[in-house]
Amino acid sequence: MLKSKTFLKKTRAGGVMKIVREHYLRDDIGCGAPGCTACGGAHGGPALEPRPQDPASSLWPRPHYLLPDTNVLLHQIISARKPGTWASEASSLRPPGSLETYVEQEQGENANDRNDRAIRVAAKWYNEHLKKMSAENQLQVIFITNDRKNKEKAVEEGIPAFTCEEYVKSLTANPELIDRLACLSEEGKEIESGKIIFSEHLPLSKLQQGIKSGIYLQGTFRASRENYLEATVWIHGDTEENKEIILQGLKHLNRAVHEDIVAVELFPKSQWVAPSSVVLQDEGQNEDDVEKEEERECMLKTAVNEKMLKPTGRVVGIIKRNWRPYCGMLSKSDIKESRRHLFTPADRRIPRIRIETRQASTLEGRRIIVAIDGWPRNSRYPNGHFVKNLGDVGEKETETEVLLLEHDVPHQPFSQAVLSFLPKMPWSITEKDMKNREDLRHLCVCSVDPPGCTDIDDALHCRELKNGNLEVGVHIADVSHFIRPGNALDQESARRGTTVYLCEKRIDMVPELLSSNLCSLRCNVDRLAFSCIWEMNHNAEILKTRFTKSVINSKASLTYAEAQMRIDSATMNDDITISLRGLNKLAKILKKRRIENGALTLSSPEVRFHMDSETHDPIDLQTKELRETNSMVEEFMLLANISVAKKIHEEFSEHALLRKHPAPPPSNYEILVKAAKSKNLDIKTDTAKSLAESLDRAESPAFPYLNTLLRILATRCMMQAVYFCSGMDNDFHHYGLASPIYTHFTSPIRRYADIIVHRLLAVAIGADCTYPELTDKHKLADICKNLNFRHKMAQYAQRASVAFHTQLFFKSKGIVSEEAYILFVRKNAIVVLIPKYGLEGTVFFEEKDKPKPHLIYDDEIPSLQIEGIVFHVFDKVKVKIMLDSSNLQHQKIRMALVEPQIPGISIPIEPSNADLNEPGRKKRKFEK
């Protein structure tokens, strides 16, 4: 049956348009219930459970189906996706779009009321229809709604109806499910005091008007890890003015949560403040004790130079909440039998969350997941509900799961749909594979990687040509041969974006069959590759460049140490060693030339753990040793990436996937310039070349480590490098490499960006065909956005893994004292770096329940004076390192000052209470 509505609409041009809306109503859609004789065979037969499990509901003990309204689904679906929750206790229904259940909107009836009525009509129809079933099979439909009026109307119409909470509470066999109920509204479950703490959020319509007129600014809210009373809002749009706005104080943060999209009101310049230098953590005071917060806010204010003042404002409304499930721990209430407790997230940027649970004793000391439901104006903290129990705090599996979830790293096993696109084993190279491909198996190719590496992306060769020039090849795993555009394997690789390397675990971007076998350029096996081959003279000047798909057979898989040993050996002169020496010689020339052109040589301490082979616990921690061979491989990877970038941009000027590194704004360098000045050194930052040259000159014979510290500090001043589509940007420059154009080509096993670049290059040289998404700049821009996010999260996850393993190391090591250098001075602390361990930590000078020392902070120098002793950046100190387990949620490496001695501040040196490096203990190296 066809129902239609016709109406006329006037167009902008003054014409009249006739619009017809048609509804096709069918009479052959079955109810979906098995055993229904009236329509059991209609439209494909039963679609619902044969007989719902007995839900043990005290309200409705007989078997039944649930029909939730739209709002119940929206509020509860996230916490109800897990098996065992109330939503799987009974099946939900799909009301048939048929003659019997079609509902037209009545005059004066809004869309929401029409939808509510449609669901009630469907529920009533089902209950009437299911009466036709035999007595033993008879079922009923229960209507679930949180709308009071909707429920009242349902009951009036003879439909069994309950609120979500009423129904869940009736499931006597599963009392814990009540914890998973989302709060109905921000106003629900307000704290008893009722005192208004925050100003009201403006409605979206007013915010949009204000943004349009320039009264308000829209941006992303970014909470501080170091100070819970401070945040910044990164303003959206192209305007350079007021790009970042500072917010200080609870009331000005106004219930915004990290990554929310907010509207801010910019204060007049007379109210602008400087970023705070104080380190403040929320120590969990009474949730409605706001006076203490106001005392702490006074600490943020300090006398500063006018140049340091930044645009300042307050949050006036939320445009979009970006809440997610949060990992953390329950802070159990001191009140006996209380069901209301505070949850402390693992991420310090997220506020504590108030939840109600009957399982507090079970959940104490465990990592759990909690979701936020709302944040009332009269509550110090947001309301939320318990979602999942992850396991005991401190257990490796639990903590690894937490850091993967917290950094949104996809880590579930690959699905069967994804695995179905892998090649069938045993696999071998076929005649079809050799089409458009060169056979380079005769070349003396080898790979050089960290020890234990199984996902070998790249291999190299160097040989002398008959004309006296050199041929150098970079051969990269041809992953795009195995991952074809658009299939499930490609989609999953694109979603993951990158392989994530943790200290004892690798989360692969592609299935292991590819990452560690068919794509890995292991020695003595034939492998498909994508080769970039140059003809060079002995001065490393490129004479010719060519790209080709190829087949190679690597003659050796070497570690950096093994390759270095061959290069340095006086007795080894085989083909592999001669090739390595040629590569090393050219690499040195290439690096020198890059640095002369303004490329930066920065520093970032990386650590390596030595693991116990039985317990897999870290028993030693060292900074990584870098050899000439590390630099050798790096130089040729950079050269290949630059060569490929030029080629794909020539062919696809609008659709090339490139990587750029923006130049930092001058304000980023302030800390570096001031720190160098305190040591009578002058750092120029107007160009990358002047920065590189002044860093090279910044030497002190009496303080050889100073130059490394300056380079570490310079690294902190840098912007994040990002992927972008060439048709969506004009600035291609890579600041750190001093290169006008750059991309990623050399690691397709572990980076999806490289797979896209391989596809572009293959089309450019005629080795493969294109597809629509490859030449759609908007689609490429979306891919880049995800890749940038995944890459950033992978870095954070890796750092979190190093931090956790460092904690494990010092837990067994005990208390140790080591020399350290000051990297930053704060208003109440110093941040130090310990070169031996590549470890960074904060030494606090104000402790709870202890007399406050006399502190004088000078941001201009910068320096911190404590009881007459002055600390400057790069000063050498001695600190005691220990694991502080007083807060199970945030176990951390704690550092205390040993030298210089300051009465009441410094502590005496204590001997280590454990030494697990005794002779004979088995250990193996694991390099991340």
Side-chain angles (χ1 to χ4, degrees), residues 570-668:
T571 57
M572 297 183 80
N573 285 297
D574 56 281
D575 289 346
I576 294 169
T577 306
I578 291 166
S579 175
L580 286 168
R581 285 180 187 143
L583 289 166
N584 196 41
K585 185 182 174 186
L586 292 169
K588 286 177 179 178
I589 300 168
L590 288 169
K591 185 173 184 177
K592 185 172 180 286
R593 193 175 295 146
R594 264 197 323 109
I595 290 168
E596 284 170 356
N597 288 337
L600 296 172
T601 307
L602 301 176
S603 183
S604 182
E606 288 189 72
V607 298
R608 182 179 64 190
F609 292 96
H610 294 257
M611 299 293 186
D612 186 291
S613 58
E614 292 161 4
T615 65
H616 298 286
D617 286 337
I619 55 173
D620 198 8
L621 173 62
Q622 295 175 344
T623 50
K624 284 187 185 177
E625 183 186 348
L626 295 177
R627 297 176 171 84
E628 272 186 7
T629 44
N630 292 77
S631 180
M632 175 190 80
V633 173
E634 182 186 12
E635 285 307 315
F636 286 108
M637 297 306 114
L638 293 175
L639 190 62
N641 287 334
I642 291 166
S643 297
V644 170
K646 289 174 182 173
K647 179 67 177 176
I648 62 172
H649 184 247
E650 278 171 20
E651 296 291 328
F652 303 99
S653 60
E654 291 285 297
H655 313 114
L657 192 153
L658 302 174
R659 188 164 175 82
K660 69 172 181 176
H661 182 212
S667 58
N668 278 31

Side-chain angles (χ1 to χ4, degrees), residues 881-892:
I881 313 161
M882 67 209 98
L883 180 66
D884 181 358
S885 301
S886 59
N887 181 345
L888 268 180
Q889 161 72 329
H890 290 120
Q891 290 191 57
K892 59 186 177 187

Side-chain angles (χ1 to χ4, degrees), residues 26-33 36 38-48 94-98 125-126 129:
R26 295 171 56 179
D27 58 3
D28 61 344
I29 298 176
C31 69
C36 175
C39 59
H43 199 61
L48 300 173
R94 297 176 298 164
S98 65
W125 180 87
Y126 260 110
H129 182 80

Side-chain angles (χ1 to χ4, degrees), residues 660-679:
K660 69 172 181 176
H661 182 212
S667 58
N668 278 31
Y669 286 123
E670 280 177 14
I671 183 68
L672 175 67
V673 172
K674 286 178 182 177
K677 197 175 178 183
S678 72
K679 297 296 177 191

Side-chain angles (χ1 to χ4, degrees), residues 449 455-459 475-477 479 501 521 746-750:
D449 290 283
D455 53 343
I456 303 171
D457 286 287
D458 54 88
H475 310 277
I476 306 300
V479 182
Y501 294 90
L521 304 182
T746 54
S747 295
I749 294 176
R750 60 185 178 90

Side-chain angles (χ1 to χ4, degrees), residues 435-469:
K435 191 182 175 187
N436 298 321
R437 198 177 287 277
E438 272 188 56
D439 190 340
L440 302 179
R441 284 174 281 197
H442 61 285
L443 294 176
C444 187
V445 171
C446 70
S447 62
V448 184
D449 290 283
C453 179
T454 60
D455 53 343
I456 303 171
D457 286 287
D458 54 88
L460 300 148
H461 88 271
C462 177
R463 63 173 180 168
E464 193 159 339
L465 299 172
K466 288 177 182 176
N467 63 7
N469 291 328

